[in-house]
Amino acid sequence: MGKTSSNQRLPRAKGIDMAAYYTVKECESRVKRIVLPDRNRQIVEEFITILGMKERFKEHDVPIPNKIVMFGPPGTGKTLTAFYVATRLELPLLLVRLDAIIHSHLGETASNVRKIFEYAKATPCVLFLDEFDAIARTRENNDEVKEMSRVVNTLLQCLDEFEGDSIFMAATNLETELDHAIWRRFDTKMAYSLPDEKERDQYISLLIGGFGQEDQLQSIAASILQGSSYAEMEQIVLKAKRKAIIEDSLLRADHIEEAFAEYQPKR
């Protein structure tokens, strides 16, 4: 990960930076094998197009979108999308560290949330918060409703005041547990699901790349990995490649099968 300059030092809590900082080059290196569903690719392209036409939208008094929430099962590409958007916008990405901003005293948590948003307002970046529900959980039927309300209220204020050249992106696997007021603050929403056949084939092709393989391996692998997330497919194919390298052989179906059995993806 890249380092911020001394005059752009990240806010700290518990003695550590509140976010991990990734340079544009580091973001670019992470998205070489991204597969976006057609609908989400369209949303991202439109979002980026609008940001490149700010003056036209200002002329018509139409607000510029600057907040994206992504939701769906784990391992389906939400985090990778944040790196992709940062790459396309040529902005560094700040991956918020929940272990740093969440404090046993929730008053401190609210203060930390404000600090990281203030940093993003002053320093152009893509501010990304994964597991967003940890601080944006609904205030209804919450055992710590009073203290949690303070965090959610602060977050609402930060979202309302968020402006400038930065983008805020959030991801959650539990979108139904987000506070309704938080949900309404996002001008762009992207749904994720397990890859379909087309997306699975495309991703497996990217994962195998130029690695030597036996005939028909890709279609066999696509069948074996049906129902797997992108994250699961990546780990299984990498494990299979290691087996092939150890044997100094082509990548074979039995390597994929053995890797699948060893990885034991949840179903």
Side-chain angles (χ1 to χ4, degrees):
M1 290 176 290
K3 299 292 184 181
T4 54
S5 62
S6 58
N7 64 338
Q8 296 177 321
R9 192 170 300 282
L10 288 164
R12 295 170 66 84
K14 302 180 184 178
I16 58 176
D17 290 341
M18 289 188 193
Y21 183 99
Y22 294 86
T23 66
V24 176
K25 285 187 177 180
E26 289 169 330
C27 292
E28 186 177 5
S29 69
R30 285 174 169 254
V31 297
K32 292 178 180 177
R33 293 195 294 262
I34 187 170
V35 174
L36 277 175
D38 292 340
R39 176 59 178 161
N40 285 348
R41 185 172 292 280
Q42 178 183 346
I43 291 172
V44 169
E45 292 301 325
E46 183 176 282
F47 186 88
I48 292 170
T49 297
I50 291 171
L51 292 179
M53 301 174 62
K54 287 184 178 181
E55 295 306 317
R56 289 286 305 277
F57 282 87
K58 286 180 181 178
E59 288 176 11
H60 294 280
D61 196 27
V62 175
I64 304 295
N66 64 356
K67 295 180 285 291
I68 299 175
V69 63
M70 301 171 287
F71 57 95
T76 50
K78 299 185 293 296
T79 297
L80 206 57
T81 301
F83 280 93
Y84 178 70
V85 170
T87 300
R88 292 289 305 278
L89 295 176
E90 298 184 342
L91 290 172
L93 182 134
L94 268 64
L95 177 58
V96 176
R97 298 187 56 170
L98 287 175
D99 60 332
I101 67 170
I102 294 178
H103 198 281
S104 56
H105 299 292
L106 289 180
E108 288 293 325
T109 301
S111 176
N112 290 340
V113 167
R114 183 168 292 282
K115 287 177 183 176
I116 196 67
F117 270 89
E118 287 176 349
Y119 176 92
K121 283 175 65 176
T123 308
C125 65
V126 172
L127 179 64
F128 176 53
L129 207 163
D130 199 3
E131 299 182 34
F132 189 47
D133 47 278
I135 63 170
R137 193 177 294 267
T138 179
R139 290 166 287 184
E140 299 174 4
N141 303 321
N142 195 306
D143 293 338
E144 298 177 315
V145 63
K146 291 183 179 179
E147 290 297 335
M148 184 55 69
S149 290
R150 183 184 306 177
V151 176
V152 174
N153 288 338
T154 297
L155 183 56
L156 284 168
Q157 292 172 4
C158 290
L159 292 174
D160 287 340
E161 298 167 0
F162 193 63
E163 56 187 18
D165 295 322
S166 291
I167 302 300
F168 176 60
M169 300 186 69
T172 180
N173 305 330
L174 304 169
E175 69 275 13
T176 58
E177 301 201 12
L178 294 185
D179 191 273
H180 294 308
I182 295 288
W183 184 258
R184 291 196 301 270
R185 288 329 194 259
F186 285 91
D187 40 52
T188 306
K189 302 178 177 72
M190 298 172 65
Y192 286 75
S193 59
L194 293 176
D196 60 22
E197 182 178 358
K198 173 187 171 184
E199 294 156 358
R200 189 168 65 253
D201 287 346
Q202 186 179 354
Y203 192 57
I204 290 172
S205 176
L206 290 172
L207 289 173
I208 295 176
F211 201 97
Q213 57 185 289
E214 67 178 3
D215 291 341
Q216 306 300 317
L217 176 69
Q218 186 169 322
S219 60
I220 295 171
S223 177
I224 294 170
L225 299 177
Q226 183 175 359
S228 298
S229 69
Y230 289 113
E232 289 170 336
M233 286 192 285
E234 180 180 26
Q235 291 303 315
I236 291 167
V237 172
L238 287 176
K239 185 181 284 286
K241 281 183 172 181
R242 295 187 191 107
K243 293 178 181 296
I245 291 170
I246 290 172
E247 296 178 7
D248 192 23
S249 71
L250 296 174
L251 187 62
R252 303 189 307 269
D254 60 292
H255 293 140
I256 302 289
E257 291 169 345
E258 289 175 15
F260 181 88
E262 291 174 7
Y263 187 74
Q264 299 181 13
K266 292 183 178 180
R267 292 287 184 267

